[in-house]
């Protein structure tokens, strides 16, 4: 392969790799792997055909996102404003921004639902740092100053990385005030289509009842339970409900199952951390709310479990994080179809809420492939020869040889023609002028001369004495020439080997070639890479 061809090939491979890793991979969910569940559900399709109403009127489209958890100074104990932290923040933010605008928004949802943990160290940020993280959050998800969209409703749920647990609430009440002034109250309800969504502050569910921290949440839950249940309910809780240890999480989970872990403060035994809501609080919550579905976050990985309640089994979907920096190699989001038909809710409440889990690009694997491709590029430039036959010429020769091979295989099965020369022999005749002629004669069955018999056969030529004479002379000349050439070869072999390029010079030439080609590849691909980053980062 010539150097120009190798350079063009490597440039093309890098261009395609960057286009896929930085743009095309984010189109996959919207184009290939994901769809609204009511469009692929057989039961919903049959219901639409029966009453003749379009599916868009039957369901309201909700996109559910969990745990963006924007990186800050508390994430990896990096110094604020340090270069390492700035780089990590940028590449984490650009992934989520691309995921939202290229993977989520093309589905044109009617509602966006966030399940909490918008910041990583929210309770421990100063007001200035909080505002800076809030500006990043708005930019990533295209929210305006009032945290709203012009064409979509948006709802928020508080998380432990936003407001902390009960022990922190009593020590730093300004954290709750700051959050509720920005995102709204933590306990509320809203209706989408013909489905009620009940959002509870799960961080306070297991607080001390005698304190004022847990009582507002339970008072809200009790008020909801006393209302007439006109529509199916979906319970929203950032912290998942209790499940026994080693409960299977279904096929979508990639990390090991995390069992129940609760940490209490030493003095007042307030909760410092918990993986799940306690068993008593979970059962009580299910009995009061009576949901048909539970949505939660907090765990950063996907998990689907079924809870047993007094009113029957209830499925809970724990969504994985949308960020690639939060320990999940498979970031995800959910498409939820909320029923908008009274007939549908009355006939089968479970069909009133349909869900489909969608996966985002595996950003970690994309960066690993970048590194692997860079190593392959270096090896190709250092080891592949570039002074041989053209790569495209070799391809043409290979194609031609393949065609000949196929043609010979096809003709091999045909009828073979009879060789008419099998029963004849050719005899060399010399005339008076010394010219030789071949004379075709029938093959004799018996041959008297044994030496001539060994020469007789199919297509063999029998030599006359005159021909033998000339042939012997030619053989003698040939032998003499071979002997002379042998002597010459011996003399050549005794000569010292011809001095070639030293290994050091060859290595230097390969390094120079590698630097030259890498410069060309960088000149082509770096502007493309920067253009894609700039295109996705600017406000849309």
């Amino acid at each position: 392969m010539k150097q120009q061809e190798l350079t063009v090939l490597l440039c093309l491979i890098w261009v395609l790799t960057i286009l896929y890793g930085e743009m095309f991979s984010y189109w996959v969910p919207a184009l290939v792997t994901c769809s609204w569940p009511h469009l692929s559900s057989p039961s919903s399709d049959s219901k639409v055909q029966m009453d003749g109403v379009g599916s868009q009127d039957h369901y309201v489209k909700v996109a559910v996102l969990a745990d963006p958890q924007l990186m800050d100074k508390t994430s990896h104990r990096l110094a604020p404003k340090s270069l390492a932290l700035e780089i990590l923040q940028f590449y984490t933010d650009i992934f989520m921004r691309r995921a939202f605008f290229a993977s989520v928004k093309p589905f044109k949802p009617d509602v966006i639902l966030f399940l909490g943990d918008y910041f990583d160290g929210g309770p421990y940020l100063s007001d200035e740092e909080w505002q800076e993280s809030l500006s990043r959050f708005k930019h990533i998800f295209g929210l305006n100053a009032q945290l709203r969209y012009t064409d979509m409703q948006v709802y928020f749920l508080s998380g432990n990385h936003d407001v902390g647990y009960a022990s922190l609430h009593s020590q730093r009440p300004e954290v709750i005030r700051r959050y509720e002034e920005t995102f709204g109250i933590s306990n509320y309800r809203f209706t989408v289509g013909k489905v009620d969504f009940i959002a509870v502050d799960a961080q306070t569910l297991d607080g001390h009842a005698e304190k004022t921290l847990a009582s507002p949440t339970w008072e809200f839950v009790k008020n909801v339970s006393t209302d007439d249940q006109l529509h199916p309910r979906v319970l929203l809780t950032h912290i998942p409900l209790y499940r026994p240890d080693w409960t299977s999480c279904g096929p979508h989970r990639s990390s090991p199952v995390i069992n129940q872990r609760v940490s209490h403060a030493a003095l007042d035994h307030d909760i410092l951390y918990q993986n799940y809501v306690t068993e008593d609080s979970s059962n009580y919550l299910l009995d009061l709310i009576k949901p048909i579905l539970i949505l939660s976050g907090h765990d950063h990985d996907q998990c689907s479990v079924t809870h047993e309640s007094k009113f029957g089994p209830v499925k809970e979907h724990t969504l994985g994080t949308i960020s690639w920096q939060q320990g999940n190699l498979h970031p995800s989001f959910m498409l939820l179809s909320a029923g908008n038909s009274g007939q549908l809710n009355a006939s089968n409440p479970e069909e009133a809420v349909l869900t489909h889990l969608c996966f985002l690009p595996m950003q970690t694997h994309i960066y690993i492939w970048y590194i692997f491709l860079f190593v392959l590029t270096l090896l190709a430039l250092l080891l592949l020869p570039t002074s041989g036959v053209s790569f495209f010429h070799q391809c043409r020769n290979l194609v031609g040889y393949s065609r000949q091979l196929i043609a010979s295989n096809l003709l091999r099965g045909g009828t073979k023609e009879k060789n008419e020369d099998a029963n004849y022999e050719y005899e060399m005749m010399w005339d008076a002028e010394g010219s030789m002629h071949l004379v075709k004669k029938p093959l004799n069955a018996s041959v008297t001369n044994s030496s001539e018999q060994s020469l007789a056969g199919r297509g063999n030529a029998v030599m006359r004495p005159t021909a033998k004479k000339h042939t012997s002379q030619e053989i003698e000349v040939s032998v003499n020439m071979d002997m002379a050439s042998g002597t010459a070869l011996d003399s050549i072999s005794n000569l010292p080997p011809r001095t070639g390029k030293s290994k050091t010079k060859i290595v230097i030439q390969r390094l120079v070639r590698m630097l030259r080609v890498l410069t060309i590849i960088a000149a082509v691909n770096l502007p493309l890479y920067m253009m894609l980053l700039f295109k996705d980062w600017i406000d849309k």
Side-chain angles (χ1 to χ4, degrees):
M1 183 183 295
K2 295 185 178 298
Q3 180 173 338
Q4 295 83 354
E5 295 175 354
L6 180 61
T7 304
V8 172
L9 181 61
L10 290 175
C11 283
L12 181 60
I13 293 174
W14 272 102
V15 167
L16 294 177
T17 298
I18 290 176
L19 286 175
Y20 177 80
E22 306 299 321
M23 184 170 62
F24 295 155
S25 60
Y26 295 89
W27 297 355
V28 172
L31 297 177
V32 181
T33 61
C34 209
S35 64
W36 288 107
H38 65 273
L39 299 180
S40 57
S41 173
S43 58
S44 63
D45 291 343
S46 61
K47 192 72 179 177
V48 170
Q49 293 175 1
M50 288 176 60
D51 57 17
V53 181
S55 61
Q56 295 298 329
D57 298 328
H58 265 285
Y59 289 93
V60 179
K61 299 176 291 185
V62 183
V64 188
L65 314 177
D67 297 89
Q69 212 159 319
L70 271 64
M71 296 182 64
D72 52 44
K73 65 180 183 180
T74 65
S75 301
H76 297 288
R77 296 183 179 180
L78 296 173
K81 306 298 183 181
S82 63
L83 179 60
L85 180 59
E86 294 288 341
I87 293 175
L88 287 175
Q89 286 179 345
F90 175 78
Y91 280 98
T92 305
D93 294 356
I94 192 67
F95 175 86
M96 290 188 287
R97 182 172 172 85
R98 284 171 169 169
F100 181 75
F101 282 98
S103 300
V104 179
K105 206 170 182 183
F107 287 103
K108 298 180 180 179
D110 304 307
V111 178
I112 300 291
L113 173 60
F114 291 93
L115 294 182
D117 275 3
Y118 313 120
F119 316 120
D120 199 3
Y124 307 101
L125 299 178
S126 64
D127 289 341
E128 181 181 356
E129 292 169 336
W130 165 276
Q131 290 298 328
E132 181 181 350
S133 295
L134 179 62
S135 298
R136 288 168 54 203
F137 179 78
K138 293 177 182 178
H139 178 71
I140 291 170
F141 296 103
L143 294 158
N144 61 16
Q146 291 74 34
L147 295 176
R148 293 291 181 266
Y149 298 107
T150 57
D151 54 346
M152 297 177 289
Q153 294 289 328
V154 58
Y155 298 97
F156 300 98
L157 186 65
S158 62
N160 61 294
H161 281 270
D162 304 318
V163 297
Y165 291 95
S167 60
L168 186 65
H169 293 182
S170 58
Q171 300 173 8
R172 301 187 62 184
E174 68 275 7
V175 171
I176 306 297
R177 174 189 53 79
R178 183 172 62 184
Y179 173 85
E180 293 187 345
E181 287 178 354
T182 305
F183 294 96
I185 58 176
S186 300
N187 299 295
Y188 67 103
R189 62 191 298 178
F190 59 94
T191 301
V192 177
K194 301 293 183 180
V195 179
D196 290 337
F197 288 79
I198 312 300
V200 298
D201 183 7
Q203 292 72 236
T204 60
L205 287 174
D206 292 316
H208 288 296
E210 61 271 13
K211 295 184 179 181
T212 59
L213 298 175
S215 56
T217 301
W218 285 112
E219 287 296 328
F220 168 76
V221 171
K222 292 176 181 178
N223 291 334
V224 171
S225 65
T226 59
D227 294 341
D228 294 333
Q229 188 169 347
L230 302 178
H231 305 303
R233 291 173 176 172
V234 176
L235 174 61
L236 306 178
T237 167
H238 175 71
I239 302 176
L241 300 190
Y242 175 81
R243 72 283 310 264
D245 289 351
W246 307 112
T247 299
S248 175
C249 280
H252 297 303
R253 188 176 184 88
S254 58
S255 60
V257 175
I258 300 176
N259 295 323
Q260 174 69 297
R261 185 172 78 247
V262 181
S263 301
H264 295 273
L267 297 177
D268 53 8
H269 296 284
D270 270 334
I271 290 180
L272 297 174
Y273 180 82
Q274 61 183 143
N275 290 332
Y276 310 127
V277 177
T278 59
E279 185 175 8
D280 293 338
S281 298
S282 298
N283 293 333
Y284 193 37
L285 197 61
L286 290 174
D287 294 341
L288 293 178
I289 300 295
K290 305 179 184 67
I292 63 170
L293 179 68
I294 304 167
L295 297 179
S296 57
H298 184 61
D299 200 17
H300 290 193
D301 204 348
Q302 297 73 228
C303 186
S304 296
V305 298
T306 300
H307 302 281
E308 296 296 334
S309 68
K310 295 180 179 179
F311 304 93
V314 182
K315 179 168 285 188
E316 176 180 0
H317 290 302
T318 300
L319 271 68
T321 175
I322 194 176
S323 172
W324 71 281
Q325 278 280 0
Q326 295 301 325
N328 189 351
L329 295 178
H330 302 268
S332 61
F333 65 97
M334 176 175 282
L335 296 180
L336 183 147
S337 299
N340 195 27
S341 171
Q343 284 184 332
L344 183 62
N345 296 341
S347 61
N348 193 350
E350 286 75 16
E351 292 183 2
V353 181
L354 305 174
T355 61
H356 187 179
L357 186 64
C358 305
F359 290 95
L360 295 167
M362 300 174 66
Q363 188 66 60
T364 304
H365 288 191
I366 291 176
Y367 288 149
I368 291 175
W369 170 245
Y370 286 169
I371 297 174
F372 182 69
L373 181 58
F374 180 73
V375 174
L376 288 181
T377 302
L378 295 182
L379 293 177
L381 295 175
L382 286 174
L383 302 179
L384 288 181
T386 57
S387 59
V389 184
S390 171
F391 173 74
F392 300 105
H393 182 69
Q394 292 179 353
C395 291
R396 287 194 298 268
N397 292 340
L398 181 61
V399 172
Y401 176 75
S402 301
R403 289 179 178 176
Q404 293 178 0
L405 186 62
I406 294 173
S408 63
N409 290 333
L410 292 176
L411 294 177
R412 185 176 298 173
T415 303
K416 295 183 178 180
E417 296 181 357
K418 183 178 179 181
N419 190 353
E420 296 180 354
D421 294 336
N423 298 323
Y424 293 90
E425 65 179 3
Y426 291 90
E427 183 178 0
M428 290 188 295
M429 302 295 294
W430 301 84
D431 56 17
E433 297 179 356
S435 301
M436 189 271 291
H437 303 277
L438 291 177
V439 179
K440 185 177 181 181
K441 291 185 177 182
L443 182 63
N444 295 326
S446 61
V447 182
T448 58
N449 192 336
S450 59
S451 62
E452 293 181 358
Q453 184 178 1
S454 62
L455 295 173
R458 179 185 173 186
N460 292 332
V462 179
M463 296 183 293
R464 294 293 183 181
T466 308
K468 292 180 180 179
K469 181 179 179 181
H470 288 280
T471 306
S472 62
Q473 293 176 356
E474 293 176 357
I475 293 174
E476 183 179 357
V477 174
S478 176
V479 171
N480 294 332
M481 291 180 64
D482 291 340
M483 294 177 60
S485 63
T487 305
L489 288 175
D490 291 338
S491 62
I492 293 175
S493 62
N494 293 328
L495 293 176
R498 189 178 64 177
T499 305
K501 296 181 179 179
S502 64
K503 293 183 179 180
T504 304
K505 189 173 183 180
I506 294 175
V507 171
I508 292 175
Q509 288 180 345
R510 290 293 177 93
L511 290 176
V512 171
R513 183 187 72 177
M514 181 185 69
L515 292 176
R516 185 187 305 116
V517 176
L518 285 179
T519 303
I520 296 174
I521 294 174
V524 173
N525 289 274
L526 278 181
L528 174 64
Y529 180 75
M530 298 304 296
M531 181 190 69
L532 292 175
L533 288 181
F534 180 76
K535 174 184 72 69
D536 293 331
W537 188 245
I538 60 175
D539 288 324
K540 299 184 179 181

